[in-house]
Structures are given as C-alpha cells and as structure tokens.
C-alpha cells in the first residue's frame, strides 16, 4: 500500500447528475494504480451550507463543526482529482463553496482536473486552475474533458471515447509525481 493518498472530489450535488458516472470511471482507472491510494469524496456526502465562517479561511480559525470536519477530511490527502461539470461557463456552486471553506489544507499539494460539458467542461477547468493557483495547489497539465455530445448517450448515459483510456494514465502519472514531490515541501 502506498503512503500517497489522493481524493477524487465529485463536485456536483445536483439530483440526476452525470458526475457520479464520470467519478466512478476515474476511480475504476485509479484503482489499478499501485503508486497511490485513491478515495472518492462526494460533496453530496459533505453538505456544507453556503460559506458561514466569520473569519477568512486563510487565518485557519474555523468555528463551525462542519468546517472542522471538512478540513480534517481534505487535510488527509496529498493530492486531488476534481471531477466537475461546467455550469454557466464555470464550476458548480457546491464545488466552489467547498473549496472556499478551506485554505491551508489545499496548499502545497497537487491537483488534476476531469470535466464534462457541452465543450468538455473546458471553462470550468480554466476557473479551477485560477482558484488552485491562489490556494498554492499545484495543478498538472494533463486534463480529461468529456463532451456531452460524444461521451454521453442522450446527454445522460456515460459512454466515454476510447481516447480517454490513453489520456487517463498520463493524468495519474503527472498527479502522483507532483503529489509525491510536494510531500517534501510540507514536511
């Protein structure tokens, strides 16, 4: 068992969401990798109210129990794969809210992005890259983008193209490499 822990964060909580199938696909591919232990973190299992901490997260003075529990959960990982749909040219509110709750728990760790949408979720990833940079969350170049037109049947049944099976190992290789290197920064 590896000492490297990576969370696959499912960033949609919408009823009938397509993200669960995408996250399960990511987990299936990650499960065969010996270099890291991957765990699904579904935001639907961590209901956070709209940010209700009175002190900015950068000061690390959490007052609410739900924030402390979320912080402990996220702090346990060395890296993250964010699985996100694109809503209105950006990320879902639930994902942005969950990210904004914390600060130092994200810092000096690695991130990769998997998205889906009409344009493959490209704009959601662009926004996540900017957010990650502000949080000192190092993001890898490789990303996976699934099109609602070609990777989903009737916009609901996930049937990814074979090319994604070739791209996924590159994403995992980059993420695991960076996550391992960044562990030395946090020691």
């Amino acid at each position: 068992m590896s000492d490297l822990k990576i969370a696959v964060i499912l960033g949609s909580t919408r009823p009938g969401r397509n993200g669960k199938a995408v996250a399960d696909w990511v987990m299936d591919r990650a499960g065969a990798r010996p270099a890291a232990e991957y765990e699904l973190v579904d935001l639907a299992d961590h209901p956070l109210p709209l940010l209700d901490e009175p002190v900015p997260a950068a000061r690390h003075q959490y007052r609410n129990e739900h924030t402390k529990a979320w912080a402990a959960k996220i702090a346990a990982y060395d890296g993250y794969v964010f699985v996100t749909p694109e809503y209105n040219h950006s990320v879902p509110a639930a994902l942005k809210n969950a990210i904004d709750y914390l600060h130092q728990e994200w810092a000096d760790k690695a991130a990769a992005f998997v998205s889906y949408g009409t344009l493959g979720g490209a704009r959601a990833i662009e926004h996540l890259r900017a957010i990650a940079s502000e949080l000192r969350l190092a993001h890898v170049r490789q990303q996976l983008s699934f099109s609602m037109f070609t990777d989903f049947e009737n916009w609901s049944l996930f049937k990814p193209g074979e090319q994604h099976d070739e791209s996924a190992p590159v994403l995992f290789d980059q993420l695991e490499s960076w996550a391992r290197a960044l562990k030395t920064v946090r020691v």
Side-chain angles (χ1 to χ4, degrees), residues 27-40:
M27 285 297 298
D28 181 62
R29 269 94 192 136
R33 300 189 59 87
E37 176 186 339
Y38 287 79
E39 179 182 344
L40 180 63

Side-chain angles (χ1 to χ4, degrees), residues 92-132:
L95 178 56
K96 181 66 165 83
N97 188 54
I99 292 170
D100 287 347
Y101 258 93
L102 308 176
H103 192 269
Q104 75 182 43
E105 292 79 4
W106 303 115
D108 299 323
K109 296 181 181 179
F113 305 110
V114 176
S115 62
Y116 58 97
T118 56
L119 295 175
R123 294 166 294 210
I125 288 179
E126 287 175 10
H127 289 184
L128 280 172
R129 287 187 186 283
I131 295 163

Side-chain angles (χ1 to χ4, degrees), residues 67-81:
T67 309
K68 292 174 185 175
W70 179 239
K73 182 70 174 174
I74 293 305
Y77 299 101
D78 302 300
Y80 312 94
V81 178

